Amino acid sequence: QVRLVESGGGSVQSGGSLRLSCVGSGFNPRTYCMGWFRQAPGKEREGVAVIDNFADTSYSDSVKGRFTISQDNTKRTLYLQMDSVKPEDTAKYYCAAEKCEYFSAGDYSLAPKFAYRGQGTQVTVSA
């Protein structure tokens, strides 16, 4: 059974940094692609970043250059380093996983549609 547990959310001022973590279990990290998506109140889910099993990454234009997705397969942990955050980054962030054979490489927008997701962690950025 696939399980994803996020942590690291919180409140931060504009321009600050946060690092989100997601610990996975119940699947082989070498055959799954991972991603982050977010959802702000009253808005649709938005893909943020994805990383495939070759460690190739893809980002939404809204976070490119500010956020970095990475993973440590030995620890079964996915990370999202968030730098230079803005108030518009305020949302609940979810970790997601999908078998890479079902994933179109490089398409971060698919992250909200991945088969598995965690419970989410709230990020609030104040001006």
Side-chain angles (χ1 to χ4, degrees):
Q1 180 179 353
V2 175
R3 186 165 185 253
L4 302 169
V5 180
E6 303 96 335
S7 63
S11 297
V12 62
Q13 287 191 328
S14 182
S17 297
L18 275 177
R19 188 175 82 157
L20 307 184
S21 299
C22 170
V23 178
S25 60
F27 63 98
N28 182 352
R30 300 191 187 282
T31 61
Y32 273 70
C33 292
M34 306 291 294
W36 293 93
F37 68 90
R38 64 189 182 186
Q39 188 167 25
K43 295 189 176 181
E44 293 188 354
R45 293 173 180 171
E46 173 192 15
V48 174
V50 294
I51 184 167
D52 68 17
N53 53 341
F54 297 103
D56 289 332
T57 59
S58 174
Y59 297 90
S60 163
D61 287 345
S62 63
V63 307
K64 194 176 295 182
R66 300 188 297 120
F67 291 9
T68 304
I69 187 171
S70 62
Q71 62 185 13
D72 182 339
N73 285 339
T74 60
K75 298 180 180 179
R76 293 177 167 267
T77 304
L78 179 73
Y79 301 101
L80 184 69
Q81 178 66 42
M82 305 170 61
D83 297 319
S84 303
V85 296
K86 304 175 182 179
E88 51 263 43
D89 295 322
T90 294
K92 195 166 189 179
Y93 284 72
Y94 296 84
C95 168
E98 179 61 270
K99 289 184 178 179
C100 289
E101 61 188 283
Y102 300 145
F103 172 58
S104 298
D107 192 346
Y108 64 86
S109 68
L110 293 178
K113 299 180 181 179
F114 282 8
Y116 306 99
R117 66 178 68 97
Q119 294 299 308
T121 185
Q122 178 67 37
V123 172
T124 302
V125 183
S126 57

